[in-house]
Amino acid sequence: MTKHLLLVSALAGLFTAGSANALIIDDFTVDQPDITLTGPSTAISLLQSGPVGNILGGIRQTDVTMYLGLVDALTTVRVLSSGVLDISNSVSAQSRTVLTWNAGGVALGLGDMDLFDTGSTGIFMAFPTAMDHALDLTFEIEDYGNSIATLSRTFPAGSQGDDFFFSFSQFSNIAALSSADSIRMTIDSTTEGLDASIDLIETRDAPPGNVPEPATMALLGLGLLGLGAMRRKATRSA
């Protein structure tokens, strides 16, 4: 019976390993007022507090700037009830959205947080719907008074999925990742009219699906064979 339980536990661990050791940066379940800009050269900043289990440091700062657009151009940034950050630009609008997690700008910020501490090796995020234009996304993780670790990536139009991964090994100045005081994510529309949405952002030890499916199935098959052998042995002994 003990061997049976150990094997079941090992198999359960295999299929939950992808979500283990996660540190939530923001799951966008904490609502905030909609941010709406009209016309070019406008900007607004908003602080929204929430549980630290949903927002790292307990405060989400959202800064939105429309730097290009006609007089009637419109940019809207909102957190949907489905737990998604939604960015919408009208046909002529081009904007930048900056999210900052630094405990509201207090002196110590996140307090030299070690992003490796949970065994994580990168930042995971999801695009639940296909974006209609390309966007540039940059992470900046700052150790106050020392260095800033940065990583930028361009996502083409049509990007969608739940397994986008920013490996810590690809950041510049990775020493800042072990003593983080601030995490900032900048989303730039590369052309007018961007519509995009972002889901859960968290650190993680590996991207989802890191174990190839054939290998996973082989391991499952070996486990089931082992369970069957133990059951037959128990039956013969009875």
Side-chain angles (χ1 to χ4, degrees):
M1 177 62 71
T2 301
K3 291 182 179 179
H4 178 98
L5 291 175
L6 287 173
L7 183 54
V8 170
S9 297
L11 290 172
L14 171 66
F15 289 101
T16 58
S19 59
N21 302 323
L23 173 67
I24 292 176
I25 297 175
D26 207 319
D27 61 10
F28 300 109
T29 57
V30 178
D31 197 9
Q32 68 179 31
D34 293 354
I35 298 174
T36 301
L37 305 180
T38 303
S41 302
T42 57
I44 193 170
S45 180
L46 175 69
L47 292 178
Q48 181 62 51
S49 61
V52 294
N54 305 105
I55 301 175
L56 188 65
I59 297 178
R60 173 200 302 133
Q61 179 175 332
T62 307
D63 296 283
V64 184
T65 304
M66 184 198 300
Y67 52 84
L68 182 67
L70 300 177
V71 175
D72 58 350
L74 188 67
T75 292
T76 302
V77 176
R78 54 184 179 162
V79 174
L80 303 179
S81 59
S82 57
V84 171
L85 177 73
D86 180 71
I87 300 171
S88 178
N89 290 287
S90 63
V91 175
S92 67
Q94 195 163 346
S95 66
R96 169 176 294 166
T97 300
V98 181
L99 300 182
T100 305
W101 300 273
N102 62 357
V106 297
L108 296 178
L110 299 176
D112 290 328
M113 178 174 289
D114 186 353
L115 299 183
F116 296 99
D117 193 42
T118 59
S120 298
T121 58
I123 296 175
F124 155 85
M125 64 185 303
F127 296 119
T129 59
M131 61 187 70
D132 59 354
H133 292 74
L135 65 80
D136 292 330
L137 191 148
T138 299
F139 277 105
E140 298 171 278
I141 300 174
E142 183 175 2
D143 175 11
Y144 288 163
N146 293 295
S147 61
I148 302 177
T150 63
L151 179 59
S152 297
R153 190 174 296 171
T154 298
F155 293 90
S159 295
Q160 181 181 10
D162 58 1
D163 57 356
F164 293 97
F165 196 69
F166 293 74
S167 174
F168 287 156
S169 64
Q170 297 176 337
F171 277 76
S172 67
N173 302 317
I174 62 174
L177 302 174
S178 60
S179 55
D181 296 306
S182 173
I183 299 176
R184 182 165 54 250
M185 182 180 73
T186 301
I187 305 160
D188 272 309
S189 54
T190 60
T191 56
E192 299 91 340
L194 170 71
D195 292 322
S197 56
I198 295 175
D199 202 350
L200 173 71
I201 305 172
E202 64 181 4
T203 65
R204 184 174 279 182
D205 55 347
N210 190 54
V211 178
E213 185 171 344
T216 301
M217 295 307 295
L219 288 171
L220 176 59
L222 289 172
L224 292 175
L225 286 173
L227 287 174
M230 285 189 290
R231 184 173 181 179
R232 286 193 298 274
K233 182 178 180 181
T235 301
R236 286 197 300 270
S237 301

